[in-house]
């Protein structure tokens, strides 16, 4: 544990989250790492302590929540590189009957006019995942197409389905083939608790997974562990364009580093530098508290802290990835701030404190 980073996390655990892992890379090398807390601390929503409380470590696996959107984006951009999709083509080319004004670009910038969310599990309680997906894809436009910005999980679910149709494979297979296998990320994948789950996440890895929320409507005792926290992604079978991925901090750092290197044109393992440049270009989505690229937020005040100009994404479960190419920084924070219930205070301040420590470490070293 790095003392200063460890102290930042210790000051938030267990008040903000039961477990936290953070990694900071400067110019591609890990400059600070810390892990603290317990992967499972609570047995119920009332805060009863669990009988077994395994400690968090650097190899712990967390539900990434909306950081999954960056992997969906990477898949779509890789398909665009191959000419399998066009970012400005109507998604109706793959989803007949869809509004012809909606394009992959508008889905990735949250300007497609789709509603923020849709509790398809409550709407169709007896339907299977495929029926629910078809219903999601028929969600009518509810707001102006082209902007202003309106965050929409429905839009990224649609983007994930477009990727499947254009790529000729399920989204989890596309992420594996085009991102995690390319980068060698053994602990990144969907549905770690699925009994028939194949690599990269084996059933034995479940012991390393952090618990999330108490959800009595789901089968099994205790808080959710190894199943996606997001209700919509769960209703769609655990794999969706907006949520569903699990990963370790090390794996997520490697993904962020791949984007950072492509951004400074020193790499292109997953995406060509030109694709990443378009990903990080301000797409002109009006009305957001940050600039929006393709699937990524640029200068999001909720996560970047003093790293103004950095890009990345947060996750509802208490996760964040921040990449600052200009400063040579990649910052990962994984927590389970929704364990045992959502709505706890302090995650924004914790994200800022970790980003502040990254800036301090950067200032101690000359830029290379």
């Amino acid at each position: 544990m790095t003392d200063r980073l460890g102290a930042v996390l210790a000051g938030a655990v267990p008040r903000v989250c039961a477990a936290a892992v953070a990694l900071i890379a400067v110019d591609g090398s890990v400059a600070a790492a810390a892990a603290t807390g317990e992967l499972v601390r609570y047995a119920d929503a009332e805060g009863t302590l669990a009988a077994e409380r395994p400690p968090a470590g650097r190899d712990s696996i967390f539900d990434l929540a909306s950081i999954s959107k960056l992997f969906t984006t990477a898949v779509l951009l890789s398909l665009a590189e191959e000419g399998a999709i066009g970012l400005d083509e109507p998604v109706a080319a793959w989803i007949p009957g869809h509004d012809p004004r909606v394009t992959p670009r508008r889905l990735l910038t949250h300007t497609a006019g789709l509603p923020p969310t849709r509790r398809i599990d409550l709407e169709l309680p007896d339907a299977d995942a495929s029926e629910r997906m078809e219903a999601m894809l028929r969600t009518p436009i509810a707001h102006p197409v082209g902007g202003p910005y309106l965050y929409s999980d429905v839009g990224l679910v649609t983007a994930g389905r477009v990727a499947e149709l254009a790529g000729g494979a399920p989204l989890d297979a596309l992420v594996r083939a085009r991102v995690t296998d390319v980068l060698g990320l053994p602990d990144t994948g969907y549905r770690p608790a699925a009994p028939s789950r194949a690599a990269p996440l084996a059933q034995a890895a479940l012991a390393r997974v952090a618990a999330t929320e108490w959800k009595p409507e789901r089968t099994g005792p205790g808080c959710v562990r190894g199943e996606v926290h997001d209700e919509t992604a769960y209703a769609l079978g655990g794999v969706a364009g907006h949520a569903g991925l699990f990963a370790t901090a090390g794996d997520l750092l490697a993904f962020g580093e791949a984007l950072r290197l492509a951004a400074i044109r020193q790499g292109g393992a997953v995406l060509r530098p030109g694709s990443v440049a378009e990903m990080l270009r301000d797409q002109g989505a009006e009305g957001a508290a940050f600039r929006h690229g393709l699937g990524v937020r640029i200068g999001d005040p909720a996560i970047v802290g003093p790293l103004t100009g950095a890009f990345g994404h947060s996750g509802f479960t208490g996760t964040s990835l921040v990449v600052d190419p200009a400063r040579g920084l990649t910052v990962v924070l994984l927590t389970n701030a929704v364990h045992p219930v959502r709505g706890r205070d302090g995650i924004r301040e914790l994200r800022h404190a970790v980003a502040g420590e990254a800036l301090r470490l950067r200032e101690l070293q000359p830029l290379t």
Side-chain angles (χ1 to χ4, degrees), residues 13-34:
V13 175
R15 177 180 56 85
V16 176
C17 51
V21 180
L23 289 178
I24 297 170
V26 179
D27 296 329
S29 298
V30 174

Side-chain angles (χ1 to χ4, degrees), residues 23-31 253 256-257 259-261 263-264 266 307-311 322-331 358-359 361-363 365-368:
L23 289 178
I24 297 170
V26 179
D27 296 329
S29 298
V30 174
L253 185 79
E257 276 292 297
L259 296 179
R260 183 186 71 84
L261 290 172
I264 61 174
Q266 292 184 7
L307 303 178
T308 55
F311 71 88
V322 175
V323 182
D324 191 335
R327 294 185 175 94
L329 293 172
T330 301
V331 185
L359 180 59
L361 291 169
R362 170 76 277 172
E363 291 173 343
Q365 300 183 34
L367 284 166
T368 59

Side-chain angles (χ1 to χ4, degrees), residues 1-9 22-26 31-34 303-307 327 329-333 349-365:
M1 178 181 288
T2 303
D3 289 344
R4 291 181 67 111
L5 184 59
V8 168
L9 299 191
L23 289 178
I24 297 170
V26 179
I303 61 172
V304 302
L307 303 178
R327 294 185 175 94
L329 293 172
T330 301
V331 185
V332 171
L333 174 65
E349 291 75 17
L350 177 57
R351 287 167 171 153
H352 286 190
V354 172
E357 176 60 11
L359 180 59
R360 187 190 73 84
L361 291 169
R362 170 76 277 172
E363 291 173 343
L364 292 176
Q365 300 183 34

Side-chain angles (χ1 to χ4, degrees), residues 38 43 61 67 87 103 114 122 154 250 257 263-264 268 306 309 317 334 337 368:
E38 299 158 328
I61 298 168
I67 294 176
L87 293 176
T103 63
L114 288 163
L122 301 181
V154 179
E257 276 292 297
I264 61 174
T317 49
L334 301 184
T368 59

Side-chain angles (χ1 to χ4, degrees), residues 2 10 20 61 70 114 143-145 151-152 161 167 170 178 182 192 214-215 253 306 313-314 328 334 341 359 362 365:
T2 303
I61 298 168
L70 301 186
L114 288 163
H143 304 276
V145 177
Y151 180 87
S152 176
R161 183 58 181 150
R178 293 172 178 269
V182 174
W214 168 256
K215 291 182 178 290
L253 185 79
H313 216 289
S314 59
L334 301 184
V341 293
L359 180 59
R362 170 76 277 172
Q365 300 183 34

